[in-house]
């Protein structure tokens, strides 16, 4: 049954982690796919829009409605099957299952508790002696998998495993006319840049954009487009503008024991230099995450009141920066440390004074340590919005560049932001050429300056062969950067695909491109 609820102006359904608040006429909550079809057809009949909402953990206002109806997928939150094919095991999920829930299901090996999509797969997974996990590890583990697919989410483990796109086997999607497309990889492929999709009124030919989509760096700017593209990839990273995902099959990876490490260094430059020297050791970590001095100060401050850090040692007084990385334990771990140690010591660090741990509780604390930086910024912005600066939003960069140009980009971050008289911290995916820069805003004047600085930095990232949005998508906040990346022609071509897929612009209007 499709639940229809009046929505107040202070509803949580009108806001995501961007802290932008929208407006809507009604909240629709489906129980199943038939309800989603009903909601899509209702919006079309009423001539209004439908903004899809999941866990609302996005940071670019993708789930923030600007009128019309909100479609909350919150009750479609079940793991519904296990399968196995030539690549390996996969799990079938509804869109509001979270990353955390999926990994907990896998940790229990499913317990044979869900049906087999392929013969005996659920029982085989339950009986496995090997361990498995879902390798996409976005910062927000409580984000919905449907949202992750819609934004092609990634995270630190993209360094080794790639983004969400690499792990999606199949999607089931309600299209704008209420028809259902159930497609797995290999079912439908484009001929060149022309893709034929079935709708209720017959086949529709979709002409994909002609631009070169940059796969050489982490990139979620605009829709994927390439010759021979698989139809599944039309929906991965499309930010919900082409259809509503109701099911997905996600591949699993075999896991191996890992030792988590946080190495402390005296200065920002030491941790950055160690990240650049790391490959010379011959050791390949799962990821490399960087923390500058400002990030460590934020963690020091937040841990005073944050119960997640109750059992965590104090950050050493000498620590002015840090690197976070995981090492495989199924090889010669001692040899790995021996190879790393000279480089750590050359930059003022010490393995004996570092943190390490391999038990689940230790690793969870280390990731809480990492996630506390953006969370502290989110909470700070929320306080400003509730008091002195209601129009303010979070202002953090999400840019990537090729590693060969990372030095130049890091210099640009400091030069541009400092020139505008702003303060900042840098942390995150240094191994992918994708550190996050969080600009510390004090008031609306800072916000205005930060928007100008952000635009300069976005153009710099593009000029260096990178992307202005590496993993958070575009949503409604970054539509200008799609034009910056692909020009007027590219924007017009994305808009033309939207027109073909959704002539009434019902689904998630305002995301990625505007009408």
């Amino acid at each position: 049954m499709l639940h229809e609820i009046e929505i107040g102006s202070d509803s949580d359904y009108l806001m995501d982690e961007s802290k932008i608040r929208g407006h809507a006429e009604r909240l629709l909550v489906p129980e199943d796919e038939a309800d989603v079809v009903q909601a899509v057809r209702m919006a079309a009949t009423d001539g209004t829009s439908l903004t899809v909402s999941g866990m609302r953990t996005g940071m670019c206002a993708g789930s923030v409605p600007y009128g019309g109806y909100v479609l909350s997928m919150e009750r479609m939150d079940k793991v519904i099957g296990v399968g196995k094919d030539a690549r390996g095991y996969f799990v079938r999920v509804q869109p509001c299952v979270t990353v955390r829930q999926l990994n907990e299901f896998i940790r229990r090996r499913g317990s044979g508790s869900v049906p087999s999509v392929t013969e005996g797969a659920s029982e085989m997974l339950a009986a496995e002696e090997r361990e498995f996990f879902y390798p996409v590890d976005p910062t927000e583990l409580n984000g919905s998998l449907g949202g992750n697919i819609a934004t092609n989410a990634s995270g630190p483990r993209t360094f080794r495993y790639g983004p969400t796109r690499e792990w999606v086997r199949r999607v089931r999607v309600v299209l704008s006319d209420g028809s259902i497309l159930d497609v797995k990889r290999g079912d439908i492929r484009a001929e060149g840049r022309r893709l034929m999709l079935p709708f209720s009124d017959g086949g529709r030919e979709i002409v994909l954009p002609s631009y070169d989509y940059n796969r050489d760096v982490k990139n979620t700017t605009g829709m994927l487009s390439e010759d021979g593209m698989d139809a599944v990839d039309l929906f991965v990273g499309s930010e919900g503008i082409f259809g509503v995902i109701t099911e997905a099959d996600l591949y699993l990876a075999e896991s191996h024991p890992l030792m988590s490490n946080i190495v402390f260094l005296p200065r920002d430059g030491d941790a950055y230099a160690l990240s650049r020297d790391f490959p010379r050791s011959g050791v390949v970590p799962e990821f490399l995450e960087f923390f500058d001095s400002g990030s460590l100060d934020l963690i020091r401050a937040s841990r005073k009141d944050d119960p997640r850090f109750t059992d965590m040692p104090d950050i050493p007084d000498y620590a002015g920066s840090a690197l976070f990385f995981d090492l495989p334990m199924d090889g010669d771990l001692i040899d790995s440390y021996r190879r790393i140690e000279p480089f750590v010591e050359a930059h003022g660090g010490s393995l004996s004074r570092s943190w390490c741990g391999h038990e689940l509780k230790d690793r969870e604390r280390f990731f809480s340590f990492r996630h506390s930086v953006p969370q502290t910024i989110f909470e700070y912005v929320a306080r400003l919005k509730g008091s002195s600066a209601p129009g303010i939003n979070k202002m953090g960069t999400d840019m990537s560049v090729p590693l060969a140009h990372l030095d130049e980009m890091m210099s640009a971050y400091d030069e541009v932001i400092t020139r505008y008289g702003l303060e900042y911290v840098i942390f995150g995916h240094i191994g992918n050429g994708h550190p996050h820069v969080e600009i510390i805003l004090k008031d609306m004047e800072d916000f205005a300056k930060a928007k100008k600085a952000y635009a300069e930095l976005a153009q710099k990232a593009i000029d260096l062969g990178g992307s202005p949005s590496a993993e958070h998508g575009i949503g409604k906040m970054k539509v200008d950067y799609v034009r910056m990346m692909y020009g007027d022609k590219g924007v017009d071509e994305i808009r033309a695909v939207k027109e073909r897929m959704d002539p009434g612009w019902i689904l998630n209007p305002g995301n990625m491109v505007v009408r």
Side-chain angles (χ1 to χ4, degrees):
M1 177 180 177
L2 180 63
H3 300 268
E4 301 181 39
I5 305 167
E6 295 292 337
I7 189 166
S9 60
D10 60 346
S11 171
D12 290 342
Y13 292 94
L14 301 178
M15 188 168 64
D16 66 5
E17 288 294 343
S18 70
K19 304 307 178 187
I20 291 175
R21 180 170 291 279
H23 59 94
E25 301 163 23
R26 188 172 293 274
L27 173 66
L28 306 179
V29 186
E31 299 275 356
D32 54 27
E33 184 179 79
D35 290 345
V36 176
V37 172
Q38 180 183 344
V40 170
R41 290 176 174 165
M42 179 189 301
T45 299
D46 295 346
T48 193
S49 62
L50 197 64
T51 299
V52 181
S53 174
M55 301 301 288
R56 301 184 299 281
T57 58
M59 292 184 280
C60 299
S63 63
V64 176
Y66 287 176
Y69 304 153
V70 174
L71 182 68
S72 175
M73 308 298 283
E74 62 196 83
R75 297 188 184 183
M76 296 181 67
D77 61 352
K78 307 295 189 299
V79 175
I80 55 178
V82 173
K84 190 177 184 183
D85 63 14
R87 174 169 166 176
Y89 288 105
F90 59 88
V91 177
R92 182 162 293 176
V93 298
Q94 292 182 317
C96 229
V97 173
T98 67
V99 178
R100 190 184 303 279
Q101 288 170 331
L102 176 58
N103 274 319
E104 180 57 33
F105 173 85
I106 301 165
R107 197 173 293 126
R108 301 194 312 268
R109 295 187 178 87
S111 305
S113 59
V114 299
S116 293
V117 175
T118 59
E119 186 176 358
S122 185
E123 291 75 20
M124 284 190 285
L125 179 62
E128 276 280 3
E129 294 185 0
R130 295 175 297 167
E131 299 289 340
F132 295 88
F133 76 122
Y134 179 59
V136 183
D137 186 19
T139 300
E140 181 48 78
L141 297 180
N142 289 321
S144 70
L145 290 164
N148 286 357
I149 294 168
T151 57
N152 191 29
S154 56
R157 297 195 193 280
T158 309
F159 185 72
R160 174 168 178 171
Y161 293 102
T164 297
R165 186 184 310 283
E166 311 303 323
W167 300 91
V168 180
R169 173 185 182 269
R170 162 190 169 269
V171 290
R172 188 171 169 92
V173 184
V174 176
L175 302 175
S176 65
D177 65 348
S179 61
I180 296 169
L181 176 65
D182 193 324
V183 59
K184 68 177 186 296
R185 290 201 176 274
D187 284 350
I188 304 174
R189 301 191 74 91
E191 293 187 9
R193 297 286 174 111
R194 294 180 178 274
L195 185 66
M196 185 67 71
L197 294 180
F199 279 72
S200 60
D201 59 358
R204 293 187 193 175
E205 185 179 65
I206 311 300
V207 180
L208 302 172
S210 61
Y211 53 68
D212 293 326
Y213 186 89
N214 189 350
R215 287 225 204 196
D216 294 332
V217 296
K218 290 175 72 177
N219 180 21
T220 59
T221 304
M223 61 175 286
L224 177 68
S225 182
E226 55 192 17
D227 290 349
M229 192 175 87
D230 196 293
V232 169
D233 288 322
L234 181 67
F235 301 97
V236 179
S238 69
E239 307 203 22
I241 66 174
F242 300 143
V244 183
I245 295 170
T246 58
E247 288 182 14
D249 292 353
L250 301 172
Y251 282 112
L252 310 183
E254 186 174 352
S255 63
H256 45 270
L258 295 169
M259 181 71 75
S260 289
N261 303 267
I262 299 179
V263 173
F264 297 101
L265 292 307
R267 294 169 297 275
D268 293 346
D270 297 316
Y272 179 55
L274 177 57
S275 75
R276 299 303 305 269
D277 280 351
F278 215 102
R280 294 170 53 200
S281 71
V283 176
V284 181
E286 290 272 309
F287 56 82
L288 277 175
E289 296 272 289
F290 170 77
F291 300 88
D292 73 351
S293 58
S295 300
L296 295 187
D297 287 343
L298 281 178
I299 296 170
R300 286 182 174 109
S302 66
R303 73 184 301 275
K304 295 177 182 177
D305 304 311
D306 195 326
R308 292 175 299 178
F309 299 131
T310 301
D311 299 325
M312 184 176 288
D314 290 335
I315 296 172
D317 291 339
Y318 73 85
S321 63
L323 275 188
F324 177 23
F325 55 92
D326 277 0
L327 295 178
M329 294 176 62
D330 51 2
D332 189 340
L333 184 62
I334 299 300
D335 183 62
S336 293
Y337 281 127
R338 285 174 179 157
R339 289 171 179 267
I340 294 168
E341 187 170 30
F343 297 95
V344 173
E345 292 181 347
H347 296 294
S350 167
L351 290 180
S352 64
R353 292 188 293 174
S354 301
W355 295 352
C356 66
H358 66 89
E359 293 184 1
L360 180 61
K361 63 179 181 179
D362 295 320
R363 289 166 46 74
E364 287 179 343
R365 279 199 291 262
F366 286 9
F367 275 88
S368 292
F369 172 96
R370 186 259 187 242
H371 295 164
S372 69
V373 179
Q375 188 59 42
T376 300
I377 298 292
F378 294 155
E379 292 166 357
Y380 171 73
V381 171
R383 288 195 298 272
L384 283 182
K385 285 186 77 71
S387 56
S388 59
I392 207 166
N393 299 314
K394 175 181 172 292
M395 187 60 69
T397 74
D398 179 34
M399 302 166 194
S400 61
V401 296
L403 288 176
H405 296 295
L406 184 56
D407 285 348
E408 189 174 349
M409 193 68 202
M410 292 289 276
S411 296
Y413 285 135
D414 183 65
E415 187 278 321
V416 172
I417 298 173
T418 302
R419 173 161 36 88
Y420 280 95
L422 300 167
E423 298 176 12
Y424 66 93
V425 300
I426 300 184
F427 68 99
H429 320 309
I430 203 80
N432 291 101
H434 171 218
H436 293 294
V437 181
E438 294 288 351
I439 303 174
I440 310 298
L441 307 175
K442 301 180 181 65
D443 50 36
M444 291 303 295
E445 182 180 349
D446 277 358
F447 183 49
K449 290 189 291 186
K451 287 198 292 185
K452 293 179 181 179
Y454 198 111
E456 282 192 41
L457 292 167
Q459 186 61 61
K460 181 68 173 179
I462 293 169
D463 292 345
L464 293 175
S467 170
S469 184
E471 68 179 359
H472 294 157
I474 295 298
K476 298 176 180 68
M477 291 179 63
K478 299 182 182 180
V479 291
D480 290 344
Y481 301 128
V482 179
R483 189 177 304 277
M484 189 182 288
M485 186 89 163
Y486 303 119
D488 291 342
K489 181 182 178 183
V491 172
D492 288 344
E493 289 175 332
I494 297 173
R495 189 182 289 119
V497 177
K498 172 66 171 174
E499 289 276 3
R500 192 70 172 145
M501 293 291 296
D502 181 15
W505 286 68
I506 295 167
L507 302 174
N508 291 295
N511 285 0
M512 195 183 299
V513 289
V514 294
R515 195 170 193 175

